[in-house]
Amino acid sequence: MPDAPGPTDTLWTAADLALAVNGRIEGAAFACAGVTFNSREVEPGDLFVALRGARDGHEFAAAAFQAGAAAALVERPVDGGPCVVVDDTLRALERLGAAARDRAPHVRRAAITGSVGKTSVTQAVRAGLDLAGPAHGSVKSFNNHIGVPLTLARMPPGVDRAVFEIGMNAPGEIGPLARMVQPHVACVTTVGPVHIEAFEDGEAGVAREKAAVFEGLGPAGVAVVNGDNPWCDVLRQAALRRGARVHSFGTASDHDARLIDFAPDAEGARVQVEIFGHDYVFRLRQSGFHWGLNSLAVLLTLEALDVPVETGLEALSAFQPLVGRGQIRRVALRRGAFTLIDESYNANPLSMRAGFAALGARAVEPGGRRVVVLTDMLELGAQSEALHAGLAEGIEAAAIDLVHTAGPQMRALHDALTPERRGLWREAAADLADLAQDLVAPRDVVMVKGSNGSRASLIAHALADLDRLAEDAPETA
């Protein structure tokens, strides 16, 4: 039976899908315009993938069909619409991703990983790809054993280029994902003490795991590495073993992409770089020094995908900070306003130090203070207490005036601070969020940062809401 007419932008027909996943069609023929595993995010025409996790995805198939799913990928037939039955839906999703890759050999692909900055760099690369032509890429932080094959499975065959974010929580995760993507260029933004509790040798193990992204490169592939990072040689040697060309970025004169000057201001930063011997000056909407290096990673990755530097600079100049990753806003108070820098999505010792340095470089209005509000950094293992206490050095170097903290691990930092810098400490982020009005004053510049799991976003949202409270407050004589 021929496939039934489907959405205008058909991604998978029933026959192609069944062939790709070695599955059995149950019900009427169909065509899909998208792929998702979350029944709450189903769009009309999507394929719903019933994965087994904390909850069995088959329980949500009916809701997915009600939301307009064209079909479901399942391990047992379900009611509500046509489906393709397989032995294992996760393995089937992986096969579907590989089929999407193989049916579009013309698509130039990039893979991005790193201890810090991989999501922002991925999305900035995507912005450059969009300017250069039809493109595809990861959404949100879809970078794990589900997100990577899902992003591949969603890739339309008609795009020119694509970028994939690859992450890890434990040893042995990055290599298989990189081999699945088979990128033409792979970039490691940096290596630092993140997820170190999963590695017996700590940061050295993290470096080896990040270097596994080069396992997906072919002989003509390009590896983009942070030449300023102490683990650069580990990355370089791993890439050379794959026969890849290595392009480095950093501040030294021998890098392929060199950061010459980074001048932050109230609107972002003015940046001067040298790319393969050519000088460029451009604007960024981010003020953190680490964005100078991030921009070099973006430009080298785009160049390896045959995107001109000028196109990359245009994309970077317009690129807005992602939610919880450096968004800046002015928040009104009854007698003035303060500047809120929302870095609440994630944190580790490396990104904390970068955030402190960026805050220290920002100008503050007369009478204002540089303030940080911090929650626990997670997955640091036995080194956690020492790494939290060690943040005091970066805080002092950046001349930060006041430090509020929340969480049991942040108690170590609270105790390590000098008395004049020591603000409030509470057991949980929610407790500190309740005291938002006591954390800031007019003319302050305030950065909120912490691991996503320690709920720093609660504090960021509470501080942002102070302008609403200021509007609602009654006037006093």
Side-chain angles (χ1 to χ4, degrees):
M1 177 188 298
D3 284 332
T8 301
D9 297 319
T10 296
L11 184 63
W12 295 101
T13 65
D16 288 342
L17 174 63
L19 180 64
V21 302
N22 192 26
R24 182 181 76 254
I25 300 173
E26 294 277 350
F30 58 86
C32 298
V35 184
T36 187
F37 66 93
N38 189 337
S39 61
R40 293 171 296 182
E41 296 180 356
V42 168
E43 298 287 341
D46 276 354
L47 170 71
F48 172 68
V49 183
L51 296 175
R52 288 178 286 108
R55 296 286 300 273
D56 186 347
H58 294 76
E59 299 174 7
F60 302 96
F65 282 122
Q66 290 175 1
L73 183 62
V74 295
E75 295 172 7
R76 61 179 184 271
V78 294
D79 295 330
C83 53
V84 174
V85 184
V86 295
D87 292 335
D88 185 314
T89 49
L90 180 56
R91 299 287 85 78
L93 180 61
E94 293 172 352
R95 290 193 289 269
L96 190 62
R101 177 200 67 213
D102 292 344
R103 73 178 179 179
H106 63 280
V107 177
R108 301 275 295 169
R109 296 179 299 277
I112 312 292
T113 192
S115 297
V116 181
K118 58 183 174 292
T119 299
S120 292
V121 167
T122 298
Q123 296 305 320
V125 168
R126 172 65 189 273
L129 298 184
D130 284 337
L131 290 179
H136 176 68
S138 303
V139 297
K140 303 179 183 177
S141 291
F142 279 16
N143 61 24
N144 64 3
H145 67 291
I146 296 173
V148 172
L150 178 67
T151 303
L152 273 168
R154 289 172 166 177
M155 185 173 71
V159 300
D160 296 332
R161 302 173 181 87
V163 58
F164 300 84
E165 180 182 342
I166 297 181
M168 66 91 181
N169 290 304
E173 293 181 342
I174 287 180
L177 298 178
R179 294 192 295 272
M180 187 183 301
V181 171
Q182 295 182 13
H184 300 86
V185 53
C187 170
V188 180
T189 60
T190 193
V191 175
V194 183
H195 304 301
I196 56 175
E197 69 178 5
F199 296 87
E200 291 184 0
D201 53 353
E203 201 169 330
V206 175
R208 289 194 305 274
E209 180 67 17
K210 295 300 182 184
V213 74
F214 303 133
E215 293 177 12
L217 292 174
V222 175
V224 175
V225 301
N226 185 336
D228 285 359
N229 189 265
W231 300 102
C232 177
D233 194 55
V234 172
L235 303 177
R236 184 187 301 274
Q237 293 305 317
L240 291 175
R241 286 194 294 272
R242 295 295 300 177
R245 289 178 291 136
V246 179
H247 292 165
S248 64
F249 62 91
T251 55
S253 60
D254 59 345
H255 295 316
D256 300 290
R258 178 190 176 199
L259 181 63
I260 297 174
D261 187 50
F262 188 92
D265 53 43
E267 284 74 42
R270 177 188 178 274
V271 190
Q272 182 180 0
V273 301
E274 181 185 275
I275 310 291
F276 295 116
H278 298 281
D279 289 337
Y280 301 91
V281 176
F282 61 99
R283 295 279 315 169
L284 283 175
R285 300 192 181 192
Q286 293 82 7
S287 61
F289 178 80
H290 57 287
W291 257 102
L293 297 180
N294 282 352
S295 66
L296 298 180
V298 170
L299 293 170
L300 286 180
T301 300
L302 288 172
E303 191 274 341
L305 295 175
D306 301 321
V307 176
V309 171
E310 291 77 11
T311 302
L313 295 176
E314 181 183 352
L316 283 169
S317 296
F319 186 71
Q320 295 279 6
L322 303 178
V323 174
R325 293 179 171 92
Q327 286 184 323
I328 301 174
R329 62 174 293 178
R330 290 285 287 175
V331 180
L333 299 173
R334 285 296 309 281
R335 291 176 173 82
F338 69 95
T339 299
L340 174 63
I341 305 172
D342 183 0
E343 288 273 6
S344 63
Y345 184 80
N346 217 339
N348 55 65
L350 204 61
S351 66
M352 282 285 196
R353 289 194 294 271
F356 300 153
L359 181 59
R362 287 186 65 92
V364 178
E365 297 176 57
R369 305 167 298 177
R370 295 180 180 90
V371 181
V372 291
V373 188
L374 309 175
T375 64
D376 285 352
M377 303 179 290
L378 305 180
E379 300 182 32
L380 297 179
Q383 300 181 49
S384 183
E385 182 175 344
L387 289 171
H388 279 80
L391 296 178
E393 182 179 348
I395 287 168
E396 182 175 352
I400 291 170
D401 300 294
L402 185 63
V403 182
H404 303 297
T405 53
Q409 299 301 311
M410 274 296 168
R411 182 73 203 203
L413 172 60
H414 179 80
D415 293 341
L417 292 167
T418 56
E420 65 271 14
R421 288 192 171 92
R422 192 179 297 147
L424 300 177
W425 174 85
R426 292 295 183 271
E427 184 70 29
D431 300 328
L432 206 55
D434 289 341
L435 302 172
Q437 294 184 82
D438 300 325
L439 305 180
V440 296
R443 297 181 294 280
D444 286 350
V445 179
V446 183
M447 181 182 75
V448 180
K449 193 165 182 63
S451 287
N452 196 35
S454 60
R455 308 189 73 187
S457 60
L458 291 178
I459 302 170
H461 293 156
L463 288 169
D465 281 346
L466 290 178
D467 56 3
R468 178 180 55 81
L469 296 177
E471 292 176 2
D472 294 344
E475 290 293 332
T476 56

